[in-house]
């Protein structure tokens, strides 16, 4: 008997085909798996984006927060002026000799004023000529307040005519001043009227001198 019948599968053919079909996923299952992965990725991306917005917003608020102004420093009180800056000594006039004054003595008045600051004390008044002595009334030390002035009577006595100038060109008084800021020695030039009266008084005092 001859003829061709149905083909028989070769050895091992059926086992190989069955194994391939077992591991092959259907299109529906692949789409479902991709959708799950996409949803997870999308949620993670949205969370990270929201966190970035929060951090950026916090940084902006911190950067734009108005800074509290620093308190202004407390101003320090101004120091008191130096006494020589606020004291003025002005020549007034020559005065008649005091009763009972020693020979070759003469006197005159000056005005001591203080413009501002704490009170100023005059601790000493002197003059530059070796042949003269000087005293004040009131006697030093005396004090003068700011905004006021007081008259001082100065008495000079010639002790040695050979040591006084015959013509005092620009005489001055040396005054020691003290306030809460400092102690200063200052020379006050009293002007041409004082120079003229002093020269005249010295000539009168020494006119009969044999020195």
């Amino acid at each position: 008997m001859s003829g061709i019948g149905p083909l028989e599968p070769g050895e091992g053919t059926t086992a190989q085909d069955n194994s391939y079909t077992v591991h092959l996923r259907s299109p529906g299952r692949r789409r479902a798996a991709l959708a799950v992965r996409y949803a997870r990725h999308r949620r993670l991306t949205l969370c990270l984006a929201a966190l970035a917005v929060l951090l950026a917003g916090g940084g902006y608020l911190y950067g734009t927060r108005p800074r509290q102004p620093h308190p202004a420093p407390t101003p320090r009180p101004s120091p008191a002026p130096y006494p020589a800056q606020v004291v003025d000594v002005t020549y007034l006039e020559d005065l008649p000799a005091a009763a009972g004054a020693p020979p070759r003595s003469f006197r005159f008045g000056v005005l001591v004023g203080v413009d501002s600051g704490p009170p100023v004390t005059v601790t000493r008044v002197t003059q530059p000529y070796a042949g003269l002595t000087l005293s004040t009334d009131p006697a030093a030390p005396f004090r003068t307040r700011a905004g006021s002035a007081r008259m001082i009577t100065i008495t000079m006595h010639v002790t040695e005519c050979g040591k006084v100038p015959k013509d005092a060109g620009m005489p001055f008084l040396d005054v020691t001043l003290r306030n809460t800021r400092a102690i200063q020695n200052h020379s006050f030039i009293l002007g041409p009227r004082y120079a003229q009266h002093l020269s005249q008084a010295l000539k009168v005092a020494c006119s009969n001198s044999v020195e």
Side-chain angles (χ1 to χ4, degrees):
M1 184 175 178
S2 64
I4 300 175
L7 297 176
E8 294 293 333
E11 184 178 358
T13 302
T14 303
Q16 181 177 0
D17 291 344
N18 291 339
S19 175
Y20 176 80
T21 56
V22 169
H23 294 284
L24 182 64
R25 291 185 180 180
S26 66
R29 294 181 63 185
R30 287 201 301 271
R31 285 196 296 270
L34 289 175
V36 171
R37 292 180 58 189
Y38 173 76
R40 290 177 181 176
H41 178 72
R42 186 170 182 275
R43 285 197 299 271
L44 178 60
T45 303
L46 291 176
C47 290
L48 292 176
L51 180 61
V53 170
L54 289 176
L55 292 177
Y60 172 77
L61 292 177
Y62 177 78
T64 58
R65 183 179 300 172
R67 296 183 179 180
Q68 295 296 329
H70 294 289
T74 303
R76 295 182 179 180
S78 300
Y82 287 98
Q85 295 175 332
V86 296
V87 171
D88 186 40
V89 179
T90 305
Y91 175 73
L92 293 178
E93 58 182 345
D94 58 336
L95 302 173
R104 300 193 295 189
S105 297
F106 57 94
R107 62 181 187 157
F108 56 91
V110 297
L111 193 67
V112 177
V114 178
D115 293 335
S116 60
V120 176
T121 300
V122 175
T123 62
R124 187 182 181 192
V125 181
T126 61
Q127 52 78 43
Y129 304 120
L132 286 174
T133 61
L134 179 151
S135 61
T136 65
D137 183 19
F142 53 85
R143 193 182 193 193
T144 306
R145 295 184 178 275
S148 63
R150 62 190 305 174
M151 177 179 172
I152 309 299
T153 299
I154 295 180
T155 299
M156 289 189 179
H157 175 67
V158 179
T159 58
E160 190 174 347
C161 287
K163 293 184 179 180
V164 297
K166 294 181 181 180
D167 188 9
M170 193 176 290
F172 56 88
L173 294 178
D174 289 325
V175 183
T176 302
L177 306 169
R178 182 186 71 214
N179 68 358
T180 56
R181 177 73 180 274
I183 298 176
Q184 289 182 298
N185 295 319
H186 192 73
S187 296
F188 292 92
I189 298 175
L190 303 185
R193 289 181 60 246
Y194 171 64
Q196 180 182 356
H197 292 167
L198 178 61
S199 297
Q200 183 63 30
L202 292 176
K203 289 178 182 179
V204 171
C206 296
S207 60
N208 298 323
S209 175
V210 296
E211 295 179 13

